[in-house]
């Protein structure tokens, strides 16, 4: 067994039972969940599996990550047992690719809501907030040697943890918000069920349903002032909408600007 493919461990009952109850609602994710105690990053493991031809829907979940990654090259704090660290291999049809990351944010928010009753909001593109603090994030990465595959990773802060000082003030957890223990297995199952459903929307040409659901969850951020860096130039404007490819449309004094990727700062 190579270092990239550590031995899987038996899926704990905590996860196995809710996944079994979800059954066919898991769509492509049914019966394909691999559990690890600790890996560097579940995204790396899923990418390696995709490169070796693993089928769509293969799910990698770890109890801890030693090198968890966030968007924009950040670290994703992944202490043991304190969160959900999940990656899956998707092989979307070409028309579905641009909105996969938007759909994933919607799905994680919906999964959290189904499992807990909390009502998460979204900040473009797919940061999952409860109130003013971030509770979960999504990292979609193309598989280098295989343009047909995308690794979709999501991380959910389940328990309050000793997050690094730079993120502690802006982070929250599901249990911190609920004020009681959360069921990690149910969270996993409901997020995968929602992902299966939103992914099916994309694959079958129902992208409008995904963008409409995103707009509802992002309502409190649309209309807010934002700033961003465009090739070294500081720009600002008012966040207006997303387009059919998931780009953020910002109203500026010189007309609409289209942000495809990168960091957006929310000013008001
Ligand atoms: C973000 O910055 O908001 C995205 C965070 C994504 C974290 C998840 S945890 C599972 C998967 N493995 C990683 O290394 N990152 C993603």
């Amino acid at each position: 067994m190579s270092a990239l493919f550590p031995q899987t461990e038996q899926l704990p009952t905590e996860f196995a039972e809710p996944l079994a109850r979800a059954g066919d609602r898991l769509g492509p994710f049914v019966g394909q969940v691999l559990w690890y105690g600790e890996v560097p990053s579940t995204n790396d493991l899923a990418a390696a599996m995709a490169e070796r031809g693993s089928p769509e829907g293969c799910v990698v979940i770890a109890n801890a990550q030693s090198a968890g990654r966030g968007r924009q090259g950040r670290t994703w704090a992944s202490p043991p047992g304190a969160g959900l660290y999940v990656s899956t291999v998707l092989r979307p049809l070409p028309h579905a690719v641009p909105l996969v990351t938007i759909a994933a944010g919607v799905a994680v928010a919906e999964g959290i809501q189904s499992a807990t009753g909390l009502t998460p909001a979204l900040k473009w593109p797919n940061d999952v907030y409860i109130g003013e603090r971030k509770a979960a994030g999504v990292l979609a990465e193309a598989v280098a040697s295989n343009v047909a595959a995308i690794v979709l990773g999501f991380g959910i802060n389940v328990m309050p943890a000793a997050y690094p000082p730079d993120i502690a003030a802006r982070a929250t957890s599901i249990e911190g918000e609920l004020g009681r223990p959360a069921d990690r297995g149910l969270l996993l199952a409901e997020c995968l069920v929602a992902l299966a459903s939103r992914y099916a929307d994309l694959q079958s040409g129902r992208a409008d349903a995904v963008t409409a659901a995103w707009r509802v969850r992002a309502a409190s951020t649309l209309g807010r002032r934002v700033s961003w860096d465009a090739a070294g130039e500081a720009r600002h404007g008012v966040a207006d909408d997303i387009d059919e490819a998931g780009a953020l449309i910002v109203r500026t004094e010189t007309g609409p600007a289209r942000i495809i990727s990168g960091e957006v700062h929310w000013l008001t």
Side-chain angles (χ1 to χ4, degrees):
M1 183 98 22
S2 78
L4 262 179
F5 289 94
Q7 184 67 50
T8 58
E9 297 170 27
Q10 190 175 359
L11 187 64
T13 325
E14 172 193 7
F15 297 103
E17 288 184 353
L19 288 170
R21 279 196 299 274
D24 288 345
R25 294 196 303 139
L26 289 167
F29 310 117
V30 73
Q32 296 203 67
V33 178
L34 303 177
W35 166 261
Y36 296 89
E38 180 175 311
V39 295
S41 159
T42 54
N43 264 31
D44 289 345
L45 200 51
M49 287 172 173
E51 282 178 7
R52 295 199 181 184
S54 86
E56 171 164 276
C58 170
V59 177
V60 178
I61 170 165
N63 196 46
Q65 298 182 114
S66 56
R69 278 199 306 283
R71 292 177 55 241
Q72 309 298 324
R74 295 199 190 89
T75 296
W76 186 260
S78 312
L84 275 177
Y85 318 118
V86 185
S87 300
T88 184
V89 176
L90 298 177
R91 298 185 183 278
L93 297 167
H95 74 261
V97 170
L99 279 177
V100 163
T101 175
I102 292 287
V106 170
V108 171
E110 290 177 336
I112 292 172
Q113 183 157 350
S114 301
T116 67
L118 295 167
T119 49
L122 291 169
K123 276 189 182 172
W124 184 85
N126 51 26
D127 287 340
V128 180
Y129 274 68
I130 301 175
E132 285 304 307
R133 290 171 175 229
K134 183 164 165 174
V138 174
L139 179 66
E141 296 179 310
V143 175
S145 64
N146 185 340
V147 286
I150 289 180
V151 168
L152 188 82
F154 62 90
I156 303 177
N157 302 334
V158 179
M159 298 176 191
Y163 296 117
D166 57 321
I167 61 164
R170 291 176 286 114
T172 190
S173 66
I174 302 301
E175 294 193 352
E177 295 295 328
L178 286 173
R180 61 172 167 80
D183 182 335
R184 273 202 311 172
L186 187 61
L187 269 167
L188 173 68
E190 290 301 323
C191 285
L192 291 178
V193 165
L195 186 58
S197 169
R198 290 305 181 183
Y199 185 57
D201 282 345
L202 290 188
Q203 292 280 74
S204 58
R206 296 190 302 270
D208 284 359
V210 174
T211 49
W214 185 92
R215 285 186 188 102
V216 171
R217 300 239 174 220
S220 66
T221 60
L222 297 178
R224 277 174 66 172
R225 291 187 62 74
V226 292
S227 69
W228 76 102
D229 179 282
E233 184 197 350
R235 309 246 359 233
H236 61 268
V238 174
D240 212 9
D241 200 359
I242 52 169
D243 67 13
E244 67 291 341
L248 183 67
I249 307 301
V250 180
R251 260 181 289 132
T252 76
E253 287 173 353
T254 54
R258 187 169 181 270
I259 307 176
I260 304 167
S261 62
E263 183 96 43
V264 163
H265 303 284
W266 301 88
L267 302 176
T268 50

